Amino acid sequence: MFSPIHHTFAPLGDLSQCLLAFALTLQPWKYKRGAAVKRLERALAEKFECEAYTFGSGREALLALLKALKVRPGEEVIVQGYTCVVVPNAIHASGALPKFADIAEDTLNMDPASVEALMTPRTRAVICQHTFGIPADTTRLRALCDRYLPGRQAGGAVLIEDCAHSIPDQNQSMGYSGDFVILSFGRDKAISGISGGAVLSRDPATTMELRKIQGTAVDHSMWTICRLLQYPLFYAVARPLYGLWIGKALLKALRSLRLLIPILDVQEKEGSMSPVLHRIPNACASLALAQLRSLRKINDHRRMLTRFYFEEARKRGWRFPGAILPYSLLQKFPLFFPGAEQLRRALKAENIHLNDGWTGCVICPENIDLGKTEYVPGTDPAAEDVCVRILSLPTHPKTSLRQARRLVEAIQQQIDN
Ligand SMILES: Cc1ncc(COP(=O)(O)O)c(C=O)c1O
């Protein structure tokens, strides 16, 4: 009853992650370095049949890759509108310019026709994001990237798949077509190490550069790693109390004491990114590895809730992206409602918190400095239209089927009122 329905309260912090985080907290010698980093890289390399290099976060993994590709100032990287600000920030930090392709409403992914219109001899890479786990059209994007770009010495552009939101366990729907793949082990991603990310490479020359760049990455401080490890533990205490004032007060206190590390710092919200790359802490690699080993179970839960929302939405006549299937593997289930923001606000009174940061903005979250991202309003009309109508429902392991039932009933009640 007091436990909230939410997107961002340690959504992957289940009992086994809490126990492991607690055990790791007591072993500070395992914080920075240890065997887990190599084990995680080996497991990813085996799964995706490529080379894997880990970094401190997904955004750092992307920056490391763009550095390894030696992108030059003035070169362009195509990314979709409706993305997280850290993606254009990493592009800027590499010296390249982001170009924003529009999305297709039925996939929330980049529209290949819009990508084609943006491709020039300056295009160095296309970052194809599998938004919320809906697979992007990698076949068409692959063909576009492989096409010779007149005036470009090296031929075409590289295809980078961004699998931050979803890692498949049963098929090769995502992560197998790109020259490179970016993964995030952030707290609310496909799997969580609280923090961390990886680049997967299928290009031998870039692989060598990545290895060199990884060698220059620095460790996070012990204090930072210790705070990262407390994240699932703090939420395990605060979550059940969130419906009472005490849970909210506890989280507020933890934030103001800086014991909870924000996902975006002030500099990132203002559109820039530190050029310093970090190693993934060994402790975070341990957590991510444990979740990678439980990928099937995590994904089965997401598929179960996706099917439930799919059937309920169909039955109730709610709109959602056409590419979603009953068995899709979604990080969250997007619905379209004209008054999505009002609905979200009304649901808060019922301890239902559906603001996931991907609402009301083309470059997310809403409170960033849009001007600094170089996104020009009006560029991507479909993305601008979708982002104000979207209402996403959680599929993560901390959302039970019972809560999902309560959620759809609460939405229906608000619509009927
Ligand atoms: C689509 C996408 N790609 C990459 C990232 C970067 O991941 P990280 O938070 O690990 O830096 C994010 C983070 O929000 C994201 O949403």
Side-chain angles (χ1 to χ4, degrees):
M1 181 63 205
F2 299 123
S3 199
I5 293 171
H6 61 87
H7 280 291
T8 53
F9 293 179
L12 286 139
D14 59 5
L15 181 64
S16 63
Q17 182 168 79
C18 287
L19 291 175
L20 184 53
F22 182 67
L24 286 163
T25 302
L26 303 179
Q27 302 172 74
W29 59 91
K30 290 191 181 167
Y31 282 16
K32 290 187 181 180
R33 308 267 175 119
V37 176
K38 278 283 158 250
R39 275 199 211 119
L40 175 62
E41 289 181 348
R42 230 176 289 130
L44 292 169
E46 245 169 59
K47 176 171 171 51
F48 286 96
E49 298 154 14
C50 57
E51 297 289 325
Y53 292 93
T54 50
F55 288 91
S57 61
R59 64 202 82 170
E60 289 188 10
L62 176 58
L63 175 56
L65 171 58
L66 295 174
K67 282 184 172 179
L69 287 168
K70 299 195 168 95
V71 293
R72 284 193 296 268
E75 288 191 317
E76 295 169 357
V77 175
I78 300 178
V79 62
Q80 69 173 65
Y82 203 49
T83 190
C84 177
V85 67
V86 299
V87 177
N89 282 357
I91 297 170
H92 277 128
S94 76
L97 287 172
K99 291 283 156 186
F100 296 96
D102 206 356
I103 59 169
E105 181 183 315
D106 63 343
T107 61
L108 305 181
N109 293 324
M110 55 182 20
D111 177 355
S114 175
V115 173
E116 188 168 10
L118 288 175
M119 288 191 96
T120 72
R122 290 183 302 279
T123 306
R124 192 64 207 285
V126 173
I127 301 178
C128 130
Q129 170 185 298
H130 299 287
T131 311
F132 306 157
I134 304 173
D137 187 349
T138 44
T139 310
R140 278 185 70 195
L141 292 170
R142 178 80 267 170
L144 280 177
C145 286
D146 288 347
R147 216 169 55 178
Y148 172 73
L149 290 169
R152 226 196 114 70
Q153 281 176 347
V158 301
L159 181 64
I160 303 171
E161 283 187 80
D162 183 340
C163 291
H165 293 178
S166 198
I167 301 179
D169 59 312
Q170 292 182 340
N171 54 37
Q172 301 194 341
S173 54
M174 290 170 270
Y176 290 85
S177 309
D179 301 293
F180 308 98
V181 179
I182 297 297
L183 299 174
S184 163
F185 313 125
R187 48 194 91 172
D188 60 352
K189 297 300 190 305
I191 56 171
S192 167
I194 317 304
S195 184
V199 192
L200 312 180
S201 172
R202 301 195 169 100
D203 174 63
T206 314
T207 298
M208 273 177 45
E209 284 303 315
L210 276 167
R211 191 175 304 142
K212 280 191 221 155
I213 290 171
Q214 192 191 44
T216 66
V218 298
D219 288 311
H220 276 300
S221 70
M222 296 289 276
W223 174 232
T224 297
I225 301 168
C226 183
R227 284 182 298 162
L228 288 171
L229 288 173
Q230 304 321 301
Y231 170 80
L233 305 175
F234 286 149
Y235 272 99
V237 176
R239 196 187 297 113
L241 302 173
Y242 199 75
L244 302 168
W245 67 268
I246 188 168
K248 289 194 185 79
L250 177 62
L251 286 178
K252 204 168 166 201
L254 292 170
R255 271 189 213 110
S256 57
L257 291 169
R258 301 193 155 269
L259 292 172
L260 278 174
I261 300 177
I263 289 186
L264 291 177
D265 62 28
V266 177
Q267 188 192 359
E268 288 173 319
K269 285 186 189 160
E270 287 171 356
S272 62
M273 175 180 178
S274 160
V276 178
L277 297 174
H278 294 89
R279 289 170 171 271
I280 188 172
N282 180 66
C284 295
S286 270
L287 295 172
L289 185 61
Q291 296 223 326
L292 187 65
R293 288 183 177 144
S294 302
L295 185 63
R296 182 67 189 263
K297 190 170 153 224
I298 294 170
N299 285 355
D300 278 346
H301 185 87
R302 293 194 190 278
R303 276 187 285 263
M304 182 270 290
L305 288 185
T306 298
R307 175 177 278 275
F308 172 73
Y309 294 136
F310 180 94
E311 284 166 1
E312 290 295 319
R314 271 276 178 89
K315 201 166 75 194
R316 295 163 195 268
W318 297 347
R319 293 197 55 217
F320 56 88
I324 294 179
L325 300 168
Y327 49 84
S328 292
L329 168 59
L330 298 189
Q331 183 217 16
K332 49 187 89 165
F333 193 103
L335 294 166
F336 297 135
F337 287 113
E341 186 52 33
Q342 280 129 284
L343 249 176
R344 244 185 317 271
R345 259 191 242 135
L347 290 167
K348 261 183 152 182
E350 300 184 44
N351 205 14
I352 295 174
H353 306 269
L354 297 186
N355 190 344
D356 59 349
W358 288 71
T359 63
C361 44
V362 168
I363 313 295
C364 305
E366 217 169 353
N367 59 353
I368 56 131
D369 185 343
L370 188 67
K372 295 274 173 57
T373 64
E374 275 172 73
Y375 177 80
V376 179
T379 309
D380 294 344
E384 290 181 18
D385 171 50
V386 154
C387 74
V388 291
R389 289 188 290 124
I390 204 156
L391 181 91
S392 295
L393 313 183
T395 63
H396 57 73
K398 295 302 294 178
T399 304
S400 63
L401 181 58
R402 200 158 138 248
Q403 283 182 312
R405 284 206 182 96
R406 178 159 88 81
L407 173 55
V408 293
E409 287 306 332
I411 293 172
Q412 188 65 59
Q413 248 176 28
Q414 291 298 335
I415 294 170
D416 294 344
N417 281 344

